[in-house]
Amino acid sequence: KNEVEQSPQNLTAQEGEFITINCSYSVGISALHWLQQHPGGGIVSLFMLSSGKKKHGRLIATINIQEKHSSLHITASHPRDSAVYICAVERGSQGNLIFGKGTKLSVKP
Amino acid sequence: DTAVSQTPKYLVTQMGNDKSIKCEQNLGHDTMYWYKQDSKKFLKIMFSYNNKELIINETVPNRFSPKSPDKAHLNLHINSLELGDSAVYFCAISTGGEAFFGQGTRLTVV
């Protein structure tokens, strides 16, 4: 079993819908990252969390360290949000990331 | 100005060849990483290099070797390329607050 599990694997939404992507992990971590990968292939960092909640525009990320769970929310979704969203955890001082398998989001106009 | 620059973006080569992918970062961070994204889009660590010292080598064949001429560069050399090496390779750094990725190199071995 992968150390980082994401759900759902695929998600289709109508423009304007509220979207939630979930991430659970089974190892001790120093930080959790949410990444976005567009069809062109580039990977962009959205958030790095070690506790609590962060907000950037229409994106909100939360983490519950005790439950080893994080969520990424997108409010008022838009077709340009269509991408693969990847949860990744960072362990200890080495800093390398362990990735979930990604959630492919498609937002229809 | 891009934090992590990676070249080339596409690389098509024949089996048995030797190739290199270059990576440069301009944030002065000590640690650089190489990740491999397979055909199912799953990302996995290959190497971690900290200040010119190899820290992580995750069961990668010996044909793959990271080379760090200086703190800003971590190149990936691949010898005797095999069909199964076809994938997208990403160079990255993690500053403790944010992760920065290169644009990726799509390697196709024919």
Side-chain angles (χ1 to χ4, degrees):
Chain A
K1 188 183 175 187
N2 202 32
E3 293 166 297
V4 181
E5 296 285 347
Q6 277 185 246
S7 63
Q9 275 190 304
N10 294 282
L11 181 56
T12 301
Q14 286 299 127
E15 185 173 355
E17 285 184 357
F18 180 84
I19 288 162
T20 296
I21 299 170
N22 294 300
C23 176
S24 296
Y25 52 93
S26 58
V27 295
I29 67 170
S30 54
L32 182 142
H33 296 254
W34 281 103
L35 309 168
Q36 181 191 56
Q37 186 171 28
H38 273 284
I43 299 175
V44 175
S45 175
L46 298 175
F47 295 103
M48 192 281 289
L49 295 160
S50 52
S51 65
K53 176 180 177 178
K54 286 189 177 179
K55 184 175 189 289
H56 185 248
R58 296 179 295 105
L59 301 178
I60 303 166
T62 64
I63 188 168
N64 185 318
I65 298 294
Q66 286 73 32
E67 294 186 4
K68 295 188 176 178
H69 182 270
S70 176
S71 293
L72 176 68
H73 305 285
I74 305 175
T75 61
S77 60
H78 189 276
R80 64 174 175 266
D81 297 326
S82 299
V84 175
Y85 292 84
I86 303 169
C87 173
V89 300
E90 191 172 328
R91 299 192 65 189
S93 59
Q94 288 180 341
N96 63 290
L97 299 178
I98 303 169
F99 299 87
K101 293 190 176 182
T103 296
K104 186 174 182 180
L105 171 64
S106 177
V107 182
K108 306 292 186 188
Chain B
D1 205 13
T2 307
V4 181
S5 300
Q6 186 179 339
T7 56
K9 188 171 171 69
Y10 299 98
L11 183 54
V12 181
T13 188
Q14 289 188 321
M15 281 176 56
N17 283 351
D18 302 338
K19 289 293 178 185
S20 295
I21 304 171
K22 294 186 177 181
C23 178
E24 177 182 1
Q25 58 118 344
N26 64 8
L27 294 181
H29 196 61
D30 284 338
T31 308
M32 299 178 72
Y33 308 91
W34 277 105
Y35 295 99
K36 179 180 179 180
Q37 187 172 42
D38 62 24
S39 58
K40 295 184 179 179
K41 305 289 187 183
F42 185 49
L43 281 154
K44 196 169 183 181
I45 182 75
M46 298 176 67
F47 298 104
S48 164
Y49 233 81
N50 184 304
N51 203 18
K52 302 184 72 174
E53 181 184 354
L54 183 64
I55 303 299
I56 297 173
N57 180 345
E58 288 287 326
T59 61
V60 176
N62 290 338
R63 298 181 295 102
F64 289 78
S65 57
K67 301 274 194 248
S68 182
D70 54 58
K71 187 176 169 178
H73 296 83
L74 182 64
N75 304 323
L76 183 64
H77 296 271
I78 316 170
N79 295 326
S80 303
L81 277 155
E82 300 178 357
L83 292 176
D85 297 331
S86 296
V88 182
Y89 295 86
F90 286 94
C91 176
I93 60 174
S94 178
T95 65
E98 190 174 350
F100 294 91
F101 290 79
Q103 63 178 350
T105 296
R106 181 175 294 277
L107 171 65
T108 304
V109 182
V110 298

